Amino acid sequence: MDIALTGIKGIGPARLKAFEAAGIRTVRELVMFLPKEYRDLSHPVALCDLKPGDTAAVRVRVAGEAAQRRARRLTITKVYVTDGTEALPVIWYNQPWLQKQLTPDRELLLYGRAEMKSGCVTLVSPVIEQGEGLIPVYRSIPGIPAKALRQSVEAALHLCEGQWPDELPEPLRRRYGLCERNFAMLNAHFPQSREALEAARRRIAFEELLLYQVALALFRNTGREGVRIDFPERAVDDFWAALPFDPTGAQRRVLREVAADLRGPRAMARLVQGDVGSGKTAIAFAAMALAHAGGWQSALMAPTEVLARQHYDAAKRLLEPLGIRCGLLVGSLTQKQHRLAHEAIAAGAWDAVIGTHALITEGVVYPRLGLVVTDEQHRFGVRQRTTLSEKGDQPNVLVMSATPIPRTLSLILYGDLDISIVDELPPGRTPVQTRIVPEAKREGLYGFLRQEVKKGRQVYFVCPLVEESEAIEAQPAELLYEELRTRKLPDLNIELVHGRMKSADKDAALERFRTGAADVLVSTTVIEVGVNVPNATVMVIENAERFGLAQLHQLRGRVGRGAHESWCFLMAEPNPRLRFMCSTNDGFKVAQKDMELRGPGELFGTRQSGALSAGIGALAGDTELLKLTHDEARALMQHPDSPDARTVVALARERFADRLDEVGVN
Ligand code: ADP
Ligand code: MG
């Protein structure tokens, strides 16, 4: 199975390269590349039953000639199809070659999504399918057409047929009713039935999740001595007394947990989770103050320069009066400033260093690094977190998460960390009112925005990122900005920020908004993380249907930070998902729903794909399986010398060797 892909028919040098670029080098790796979803062709739907929003298979006949036209950068191919119950238009974008294939009367098996277009139920960009039953759909690999990919996987499966050893201990398999491995591999790709698919995915996911969690436990159990920070008892109260507000009960409790870790002999590895606005920053600063009181340096790493500067300003206001010398280290400093910063850190002239990735570059030497805080963790990889902690001699690590994560999922993603939850918002917040605004009511919204600005408040507009290849129906930020500035709200001061701007221009625009010089800020999702403008009371989210719920919640958290009534407007046609957003302000509920709807993989994007392999992708919000494997991993690790535990630990080491290497286990 560890044979090279060249052994497979149809894989020449070009495809070999393409596979390699996607991290697939062996037959085994190709077979472990599991489908991201399946098309069910076994129950074609009658056209007369097709409703907008449905994704389905239909068996049809081409009725009439296919037409083609161009609109802006798009080529649109359109044809009518019928199945005797109804005739519907079908359109494809940018697939001009289809026109020739769509000959009148040709029979087609189409699989795709129905949408309402110019008053007509229309199938949009369906796939032309062959075969029957459940058809696997793989994540696309650049340079390999979908069909060729499917065929390569099929060939690889045949090569391995019957040869997968069943490595999981027999008692485990029996206890959890897991199917046999060869059956699982075959049915994960080409399921005989829904039930077979379910059993296969459960088996594969169980194994992957269990091994991953055992690997995390190994990582965690290294139990190396860490920096022990001994601060005077009153340091905690001193910090709370210096704060301009009373801490919430949750903030007090979490700080007690952190303080106990700092004092303990093992290095702290703790994740602080809490809803947007729950006051996690104050906890980070408190920990830094305790480190200082115990005679240690601390570093706080933020994912963007804007955030780093914001934290730095806040730290100076709060920490310097306590005698803590703060410094800033970010990429955009001049060479001279960089040198001075490095010197100040090395000389111990800065007690608390705040910055971006620049904190972990080669040249920076910390003489007494006792605490590392990373803010908004999911933007950083495990490797970066590790690099920063290597700057000191096993310093304490505090991770502040950006979004609430369902508990089961955080056990998986952050199984290497202890978890504290800030489950209380500071008092005096008025909950954000969330409303869905269909296009027809847009003008009315503009009137409302004017009134808010007249009252002295500020407004955010957020547009989704548009992928180059997509149909251009979304509102790119630039177009919206022009529209607002020239026609819709010409009387207001409007700023624009997006990802392709120079960072100096971006910072300047954000600064004008922060200081109140601008009334409206139009942006892509760059403002998502952490920006704090209490005077902003309205968040307008364009094409809200394109965002995940957790992301919408994160964006909504940008308003409702002051005493004024705040609003979040979701620009979209109403749907149940968006209605759910209107019904709750609880970030944990939103995250849970998002996970159920889209699976855990979508919640965090890159982190999973980097850290976890197929098993996680194969899960669709299966919290039960997350919990089962978590408990089993824990049980196994309690008796590490039992035969089952030995087998599983060996498997976990083999499977996750790279990751464990990275942190020095092995
Ligand atoms: P997040 O948890 O999203 O990072 P922040 O730490 O940015 O939240 O806090 C949000 C806002 O709430 C900040 O303006 C902060 O000063 C304020 N804040 C934090 N804790 C309290 C508190 N106990 N009482 C009142 N305001 C608080
Ligand atoms: Mg924050």
Side-chain angles (χ1 to χ4, degrees), residues 36 145 213 261 306 341 469 568 591 623 627 650 666:
K36 70 171 179 85
Q213 292 182 87
D261 284 355
V306 173
S469 59
C568 175
T623 46
K627 187 161 172 6
N666 262 348

Side-chain angles (χ1 to χ4, degrees), residues 245-248 251 275-282 426-427 429 532 561:
F245 37 73
D246 286 333
T248 62
Q251 284 171 319
D275 211 337
V276 211
S278 59
K280 296 182 290 285
T281 316
R429 297 268 165 87
N532 193 10
R561 303 199 147 211

Side-chain angles (χ1 to χ4, degrees), residues 240 243-249 251 274-283 310-311 375-376 400-402 422 425-427 429 530-532 534 554 557-558 561:
W240 289 136
L243 215 58
F245 37 73
D246 286 333
T248 62
Q251 284 171 319
D275 211 337
V276 211
S278 59
K280 296 182 290 285
T281 316
I283 295 169
Q310 190 174 293
H311 282 324
D375 193 17
E376 321 290 357
M400 321 294 283
S401 117
V422 195
L425 291 181
R429 297 268 165 87
V531 173
N532 193 10
Q554 183 74 18
R558 300 299 115 218
R561 303 199 147 211

